[in-house]
Amino acid sequence: MTMLIPVLGDQLSPTLASLRDVDRAQAVVLMMEVWDEATYVRHHKKKIALIFAAMRHFAAELRGDGWTVDYVALDAPGNTHSFTGEVARAAKRHAATAIRTVAGGEYRVRQAQDGWAAQTGLPVDILEDDRFVCPLPDFYAWAQGRREQRMEYFYRDMRRRTGLLMTADGQPEGGKWNYDHDNRDTPPRGVNYPAPERFAPDAITSEVLALVAQRFAGHFGDLEPFALPVTRAQALVALEHFIAAALPDFGRYQDAMIAGQDYLFHSSLSLCLNLGLLGPIEVCEAAVAAYARGDAPLNAVEGFVRQIIGWREYMRGMYWWDMPRLATRNALDAHRPLPDFYWTGDTGMRCLAESVGQTKREAYAHHIQRLMVLGNFALLAGIDPQAVSDWYLVVYFDAYEWVEMPNVIGMSQFADGGAIASKPYVSSGAYIDRMSDYCGRCRYDVKKKTGEGACPFNALYWDFLARHEKRFAGNARMRNMYGTWGRFSPEKQAEYRESAAAFLDTLTPAAEGWARQPAA
């Protein structure tokens, strides 16, 4: 009797459901580096290295804990380079009598898992991924029959479910559920920002870096320097460092953007959570403990907890609630190709150049850069939402389809028609100027509204509202925007629209194959 236990690259948790209550003497853990997963989109080189290095370290830890691990490296002889192919090969290699696995986080992976029984002729037990706070059946029960599935109400239920930041009588700590209004300050000059904890590559990681440099040279992004956490021990150090050094100021400055400061007071813990190196509850409990000790204010801790048990869990639920339909949604009928500067960073718009340049270096940008610079421009310019979604999936080290796609298709691009966001997240250059230092040395003038040298966001903003007036004019949250637009003279409205059209005509589409064409 041999139980084959496939463990995927984002399931690197010693408490994984498939590893519990198993006789290790009669089990083989299968881990696979496969070309299909590295290239179904051409992931950032640093992202591929992160996942492969974390997988190899986890395999070593499992062996040290008494497991038999069959690890198929990318260049292993006979590697079929697909999950299904490697599961079938391993089942024969070990004369497996059954397969036990945890459901993949992405729709296409789960579809493949559903075919393993037919492919191998073996019984396959696909377990729910219980590393999340909200089981999918519970999310479906919450969503079913609601006119709107808004995150805020889901988040309150998650607070009640977990007890995080709740008083003994069942009320939210501090008397309010949400402290966002305290989280929009611009940092003063001279603030010292705490860099995230860095980890020097060991021999295992160095071997992976050499592999990625050779095999994925044509992929987007800088591979080195590489200093990301690739083990649970390192992830715990990163968590401790964030709680002590950055969390106290995370809240009030979380929407700020400063050139040359890639992380500000943000963490890189999303990569640890999404790989499985950390669990959501332990991360939230560490933040809440800091609040209880008086080491971090409530607005910072609440905002951080909301990102994890609110947005992260909600996005996973909305992904599975709407798939596979979500992948092709395009409610605003946007079809412009993705501009080439999303890959090169070669644009005179400094906010976009800084955000793309940071993304290229780090495989990271924080949520306001992703939403209100990169996403805002794509939405205003009418970029095809599937192309935008593919780009986000490629370039960020924490991007897995279950969390990336609903964030981009729904929240960022409003392509789901408002299932996730109650209004589109659009702004003119004024918001970027208020929340960043990007505009001061930009070739475009953020104060100028139209014409040569004007910030493109200004004309694009009003052009977007004009294009979609029929859809959004009745939206209560956009009433003031359309009130202002309606007070413009016909000549001024035409000037904005002509200026936007002239700018859009200058955009160069990205070359084919950056995102989805498999590497040679």
Side-chain angles (χ1 to χ4, degrees):
M1 296 283 291
T2 299
M3 175 76 72
L4 183 68
I5 306 176
V7 172
L8 307 181
D10 59 352
Q11 297 179 347
L12 309 184
S13 308
T15 59
L16 192 70
S18 58
L19 300 177
R20 298 199 296 262
D21 304 318
V22 173
D23 182 353
R24 299 181 189 187
Q26 298 186 21
V28 174
V29 174
L30 173 66
M31 299 184 69
M32 308 155 275
E33 297 173 0
V34 296
W35 189 260
D36 283 0
E37 293 304 303
T39 61
Y40 75 94
V41 295
R42 291 163 55 106
H43 299 285
H44 195 298
K45 290 192 285 287
K46 195 164 285 185
K47 180 181 180 182
I48 297 173
L50 166 69
I51 295 172
F52 283 2
M55 287 173 63
R56 293 187 183 193
H57 281 92
F58 187 66
E61 291 168 7
L62 288 177
R63 290 188 183 106
D65 201 28
W67 289 95
T68 299
V69 180
D70 183 352
Y71 194 97
V72 182
L74 189 75
D75 290 335
N79 189 336
T80 63
H81 294 294
S82 75
F83 284 155
T84 297
E86 288 312 294
V87 168
R89 281 208 314 148
K92 291 181 180 179
R93 192 160 57 242
H94 299 287
T97 54
I99 297 172
R100 190 176 200 240
T101 191
V102 169
E106 299 187 353
Y107 183 84
R108 59 184 180 78
V109 175
R110 180 55 197 267
Q111 295 294 103
Q113 289 175 316
D114 286 341
W116 288 355
Q119 187 73 22
T120 62
L122 298 175
V124 177
D125 189 11
I126 303 175
L127 306 175
E128 173 77 15
D129 191 344
D130 60 9
R131 297 174 300 163
F132 290 87
V133 177
C134 183
L136 288 175
D138 289 7
F139 185 89
Y140 300 153
W142 173 84
Q144 187 69 44
R146 288 177 179 260
R147 187 172 63 86
E148 295 180 325
Q149 292 89 22
R150 292 287 176 245
M151 190 282 294
E152 180 64 28
Y153 301 108
F154 172 78
Y155 165 59
R156 294 178 187 185
D157 284 352
M158 291 303 98
R159 288 271 295 275
R160 296 184 185 101
R161 177 189 287 257
T162 61
L164 292 165
L165 294 177
M166 298 295 291
T167 64
D169 60 353
Q171 297 302 308
E173 186 72 26
K176 292 187 294 187
W177 293 102
N178 186 312
Y179 289 84
D180 243 4
H181 69 279
D182 296 327
N183 292 345
R184 297 191 176 98
D185 290 356
T186 301
R189 293 181 182 275
V191 171
N192 291 318
Y193 302 101
E197 196 73 29
R198 299 290 187 174
F199 303 93
D202 61 8
I204 293 175
T205 300
S206 296
E207 187 176 88
V208 168
L209 293 174
L211 170 72
V212 173
Q214 178 187 15
R215 298 297 303 276
F216 302 97
H219 282 223
F220 174 80
D222 298 342
L223 178 59
E224 298 190 71
F226 184 95
L228 299 174
V230 295
T231 67
R232 174 163 170 79
Q234 290 177 345
L236 288 169
V237 171
L239 172 60
E240 182 179 7
H241 175 78
F242 168 73
I243 296 296
L247 179 62
D249 286 311
F250 163 76
R252 59 178 172 161
Y253 299 138
Q254 68 173 283
D255 285 7
M257 299 172 283
I258 306 295
Q261 295 290 339
D262 294 343
Y263 288 87
L264 296 169
F265 294 100
H266 292 266
S267 78
S268 57
L269 298 175
S270 55
L271 75 86
C272 301
L273 284 163
N274 293 353
L275 281 171
L277 300 178
L278 294 175
I281 294 300
E282 71 176 326
V283 170
C284 290
E285 286 178 343
V288 172
Y291 167 68
R293 294 191 304 268
D295 293 340
L298 180 57
N299 65 298
V301 174
E302 185 279 317
F304 182 68
V305 167
R306 179 160 24 97
Q307 287 189 355
I308 296 174
I309 67 168
W311 270 114
R312 184 174 184 267
E313 296 283 332
Y314 171 75
M315 286 297 168
R316 177 185 182 242
M318 291 300 287
Y319 172 80
W320 286 103
W321 175 255
D322 201 27
M323 281 298 282
R325 201 172 43 165
L326 179 65
T328 56
R329 284 194 180 275
N330 192 351
L332 300 186
D333 198 31
H335 298 286
R336 188 178 301 277
L338 190 77
D340 64 346
F341 64 70
Y342 273 79
W343 300 112
T344 66
D346 185 12
T347 172
M349 292 174 283
R350 188 169 178 234
C351 57
L352 284 157
E354 289 284 345
S355 297
V356 172
Q358 173 181 326
T359 297
K360 180 177 179 293
R361 291 191 311 274
E362 296 288 322
Y364 170 80
H366 72 65
H367 68 284
I368 295 299
Q369 292 168 306
R370 298 190 201 194
L371 178 65
M372 297 308 299
V373 176
L374 297 157
N376 183 22
F377 181 87
L379 180 55
L380 293 176
I383 309 301
D384 182 278
Q386 279 69 51
V388 180
S389 182
D390 278 355
W391 183 82
Y392 277 83
L393 185 58
V394 166
V395 302
Y396 292 119
F397 57 37
D398 55 0
Y400 297 83
E401 192 179 82
W402 63 265
V403 68
E404 170 275 322
M405 184 178 287
N407 263 297
V408 174
I409 296 293
M411 184 180 184
S412 173
Q413 300 303 295
F414 206 82
D416 66 353
I420 287 174
S422 60
K423 73 172 185 66
Y425 280 85
V426 291
S427 76
S428 67
Y431 173 86
I432 297 171
D433 188 32
R434 185 168 67 253
M435 297 310 304
S436 79
D437 67 353
Y438 293 151
C439 300
R441 290 190 287 125
C442 183
R443 62 168 280 194
Y444 295 103
D445 183 356
V446 71
K447 305 297 184 186
K448 189 175 181 183
K449 305 303 182 184
T450 60
E452 185 69 24
C455 172
F457 279 88
N458 293 333
L460 290 174
Y461 173 75
W462 293 113
D463 182 64
F464 174 88
L465 293 180
R467 292 200 317 272
H468 299 293
E469 185 169 7
K470 185 176 181 180
R471 174 183 285 270
F472 294 126
N475 187 311
R477 297 186 66 195
M478 302 179 73
R479 187 174 295 122
N480 290 341
M481 304 174 189
Y482 280 104
T484 301
W485 174 250
R487 288 190 293 273
F488 291 161
S489 68
E491 293 77 17
K492 188 172 185 179
Q493 290 182 348
E495 185 179 353
Y496 273 118
R497 302 213 63 187
E498 289 165 6
S499 187
F503 173 78
L504 291 172
D505 283 344
T506 69
L507 297 180
T508 302
E512 292 290 331
W514 260 115
R516 283 203 175 261
Q517 180 179 308

